[in-house]
Amino acid sequence: QVQLVESGGGSVQSGGSLRLSCAASTIIADRYCVGWFRQVPGAERKGVATIDLDGVPTYADSVKGRYTISLDNTKTTVYLQMNSLKPEESGMYYCAATQQCAGAYFAGFAEKEYDFWGQGTQVAVSS
């Protein structure tokens, strides 16, 4: 089992940048796949980026070229660098982890694919 704690949210103007952090209670690399999700009130969480057991990132089409998911050298923290932010990308951002992600069936962008969740960090992008 792993505990996840997000941080780094805040308020930024349209076009600005934020870096979110997801600190894990144990080593993530080679053991867990991690995803970042965005949720707005009244809607389901939507995956925006994921990193697999080999450290390979995958992005939702809407954020490709602007977001970067990465694992730090301690192998316990996953970052989400968000550039050129848009107002519609405001919301609560969650990181999630699972060990059940080996194989082609794992896509990484659905809530049900993950077993462990953080409490979230709020992002507000103003126009």
Side-chain angles (χ1 to χ4, degrees), residues 105-125:
Y105 71 92
F106 180 78
F109 289 91
E111 286 188 70
K112 64 181 181 180
E113 296 182 277
Y114 292 89
D115 303 303
F116 308 104
W117 291 83
Q119 82 291 345
T121 186
Q122 186 72 44
V123 171
V125 184

Side-chain angles (χ1 to χ4, degrees), residues 2-126:
V2 61
Q3 284 78 47
L4 304 171
V5 179
E6 302 95 333
S7 62
S11 297
V12 65
Q13 289 190 329
S14 180
S17 298
L18 283 172
R19 188 177 78 161
L20 306 183
S21 299
C22 173
S25 58
T26 186
I27 291 176
I28 290 290
D30 305 322
R31 301 178 185 181
Y32 292 87
C33 296
V34 175
W36 278 99
F37 286 74
R38 180 195 306 129
Q39 186 176 32
V40 298
E44 295 182 349
R45 294 171 182 171
K46 291 187 176 181
V48 297
T50 183
I51 191 164
D52 70 10
L53 293 172
D54 296 320
V56 177
T58 308
Y59 302 95
D61 288 342
S62 62
V63 307
K64 283 180 181 176
R66 298 186 298 117
Y67 287 21
T68 303
I69 187 171
S70 62
L71 184 64
D72 79 336
N73 290 336
T74 68
K75 301 182 180 182
T76 61
T77 300
V78 176
Y79 298 108
L80 183 67
Q81 177 69 42
M82 306 186 294
N83 299 328
S84 302
L85 281 162
K86 306 174 182 179
E88 56 265 36
E89 294 174 330
S90 298
M92 187 70 80
Y93 281 72
Y94 298 89
C95 67
T98 182
Q99 291 184 299
Q100 308 303 317
C101 55
Y105 71 92
F106 180 78
F109 289 91
E111 286 188 70
K112 64 181 181 180
E113 296 182 277
Y114 292 89
D115 303 303
F116 308 104
W117 291 83
Q119 82 291 345
T121 186
Q122 186 72 44
V123 171
V125 184
S126 59

